[in-house]
Amino acid sequence: MSTKGEHIGNLDKKELSESKQEDQPLVQLKSIYHIYRGRAEHASVVALKGLSLKLETGDFIAVVGPSGSGKSTLLNVIGGLMRPTAGSVFFENIDITKTPEEELTLFRRQQVGYVFQEGNLLPKLSAFDNVNQSMALNGISYNYRKKRTLELLDLMGVGHRKNQLASRLSGGERQRVAIARAMANSPKLIIADEPTGNVDFKTSVRLLELFKQLNRETGMTFLIATHSTHVAGYADRSFELRDGLLLGQHGISVDLSQLDTTRMVIMDSDNRITLPHNVINQMDYLSALWDIKVLENSKILLTPLEALTSEVAEDSADTKECQVCGASNPLSGKFCIDCGAKF
Ligand SMILES: Nc1ncnc2c1ncn2[C@@H]1O[C@H](COP(=O)(O)OP(=O)(O)OP(=O)(O)O)[C@@H](O)[C@H]1O
Ligand SMILES: [Mg+2]
């Protein structure tokens, strides 16, 4: 683990990119399933149903979706806090689902910083000790730890509260100390599960701006689960989950408040159906209402409740590139056929 550098969070973009091959995602999930096994009369819950996605270094991503959609499970799987039932999670080129427990513990300490809704601090330790302790576990010298702890607490605007017990800090102060703690070991990825869930609006704006600043200045990757459209509005991309499925990936300027219309057609045993991109592009699914019928020959009939104003676009040799994921798309499309970003 590096301990050099002048930048915020002691980590610069160069350092981050040197440890992995070019074009390699920071994290890649391949067909992740997670089942919580029910005990006694409780049924098992399939919380993640075959998720595949990528996080690139420097991403600032929100995970959105209703309660129970699998956001926390996904974050825990990516952060190595939970092994998925099936599938692979590559962190750079290491599959952390197959890593022995000891190495996984090191991975969690060194590569990932966690911020949870409750602030995840030890209540009987001071703000200073909470931050300092996370580095002690990584065998960093006392002098360096002290310097860095004070630096980080100052950076988060809670330097003057360093001797206060965590249990006596306000919600906003606790979250700031938790962020300092999460950053202490200069992780490549910060995972935040509802980080602003317990703080007032003004504090949540300050925390998010802090996240954005850290992301811009250090190139650290952020993955934030949230119910809040305001929080998601800070993200450059968002993953939308519903019932353990990835419903879509969205780029900048998607109005998340518009995404709760019924767009998922449950058809096969994995609760999924694939539609041709030219049909999807005509569906304009953020606003249109559709009547969906299953026909006898296992085809489906989609009838817009308002008549379509134009013919379904034919495939065309002319394409345009998606600014979010780089996929080639037909010129007539309104949404990327690969990631769902809006043009
Ligand atoms: N430890 C557990 N044991 C059994 N089922 C669980 C467990 N944790 C989560 N679940 C179930 O898995 C599904 C996904 O839960 P998860 O906590 O990941 O959702 P979430 O999107 O984070 O919800 P919320 O927005 O309420 O935090 C839910 O149906 C939930 O009830
Ligand atoms: Mg959750």
Side-chain angles (χ1 to χ4, degrees):
M1 200 81 231
S2 168
T3 53
K4 321 179 292 284
E6 299 299 322
H7 295 252
I8 188 172
N10 266 355
L11 195 65
D12 62 25
K13 288 180 180 166
K14 189 162 164 284
E15 239 178 304
L16 279 170
S17 56
E18 267 172 2
S19 60
K20 67 187 186 80
Q21 289 162 13
E22 221 158 290
D23 294 336
Q24 184 186 44
L26 179 67
V27 177
Q28 181 162 17
L29 266 62
K30 296 186 180 172
S31 298
I32 291 296
Y33 287 80
H34 190 72
I35 301 170
Y36 292 105
R37 301 264 171 224
R39 293 205 192 110
E41 77 278 14
H42 298 291
S44 294
V45 176
V46 187
L48 300 177
K49 298 173 182 164
L51 295 196
S52 297
L53 51 86
K54 288 180 192 171
L55 311 185
E56 305 290 345
T57 296
D59 269 343
F60 195 98
I61 296 181
V63 180
V64 297
S67 189
S69 56
K71 302 183 295 296
S72 298
T73 309
L74 175 65
L75 263 54
N76 290 342
V77 162
I78 291 178
L81 295 169
M82 188 184 269
R83 285 185 201 268
T85 312
S88 306
V89 179
F90 286 92
F91 194 96
E92 297 178 338
N93 47 6
I94 296 166
D95 183 354
I96 60 166
T97 65
K98 302 203 167 48
T99 309
E101 201 51 50
E102 252 173 49
E103 273 174 49
L104 194 61
T105 304
L106 281 181
F107 161 81
R108 286 194 294 258
R109 272 192 214 144
Q110 297 179 346
Q111 310 280 22
V112 188
Y114 306 91
V115 182
F116 298 102
Q117 184 171 354
E118 309 300 331
N120 61 300
L121 298 180
L122 297 165
K124 294 196 173 149
L125 292 188
S126 66
F128 180 93
D129 286 338
N130 262 289
V131 179
N132 185 39
Q133 188 226 32
S134 67
M135 286 181 279
L137 295 170
N138 278 336
I140 296 168
S141 77
Y142 179 75
N143 285 344
Y144 178 80
R145 279 181 357 234
K146 184 173 168 193
K147 179 170 167 284
R148 181 152 173 80
T149 300
L150 295 175
E151 204 176 271
L152 283 169
L153 289 174
D154 276 346
L155 182 69
M156 300 300 150
V158 283
H160 61 297
R161 307 288 277 155
K162 63 179 185 288
N163 295 322
Q164 190 63 265
L165 290 185
S167 57
R168 302 223 169 149
L169 296 170
S170 72
E173 287 170 342
R174 258 202 299 276
Q175 282 307 61
R176 285 164 179 268
V177 176
I179 297 168
R181 183 183 157 97
M183 291 196 42
N185 292 305
S186 304
K188 290 178 183 164
L189 174 65
I190 299 267
I191 285 183
D193 197 348
E194 297 284 356
T196 61
N198 275 342
V199 296
D200 60 51
F201 185 74
K202 231 165 113 189
T203 310
S204 92
V205 170
R206 285 208 209 103
L207 289 174
L208 287 161
E209 276 164 4
L210 200 54
F211 276 163
K212 274 303 249 194
Q213 186 194 354
L214 295 169
N215 171 253
R216 256 194 324 268
E217 296 184 12
T218 67
M220 230 179 243
T221 306
F222 281 77
L223 184 66
I224 304 174
T226 183
H227 282 110
S228 152
T229 53
H230 164 251
V231 175
Y234 276 78
D236 300 328
R237 288 202 290 146
S238 32
F239 296 138
E240 192 191 356
L241 292 188
R242 184 88 55 92
D243 291 333
L245 291 165
L246 187 60
L247 224 60
Q249 298 186 40
H250 307 280
I252 301 171
S253 30
V254 168
D255 181 357
L256 292 161
S257 63
Q258 297 292 307
L259 294 182
D260 57 357
T261 47
T262 49
R263 287 178 291 115
M264 189 164 62
V265 187
I266 298 176
M267 291 292 291
D268 66 11
S269 59
D270 284 324
N271 293 350
R272 272 175 288 189
I273 187 165
T274 307
L275 296 176
H277 62 73
N278 49 1
V279 174
I280 291 170
N281 276 325
Q282 281 295 316
M283 286 177 78
D284 193 7
Y285 55 60
L286 294 183
S287 57
L289 286 173
W290 291 79
D291 181 39
I292 301 170
K293 283 197 179 66
V294 183
L295 305 180
E296 272 173 15
N297 53 5
S298 40
K299 289 195 172 141
I300 58 163
L301 180 66
L302 297 167
T303 315
L305 294 182
E306 284 173 68
L308 279 176
T309 50
S310 61
E311 294 295 310
V312 170
E314 291 300 324
D315 276 347
S316 159
D318 295 323
T319 57
K320 61 185 168 190
E321 192 175 291
C322 172
Q323 296 301 307
V324 178
C325 71
S328 287
N329 282 270
L331 283 177
S332 57
K334 295 172 187 167
F335 301 95
C336 174
I337 55 172
D338 222 31
C339 71
K342 196 175 179 182
F343 293 122

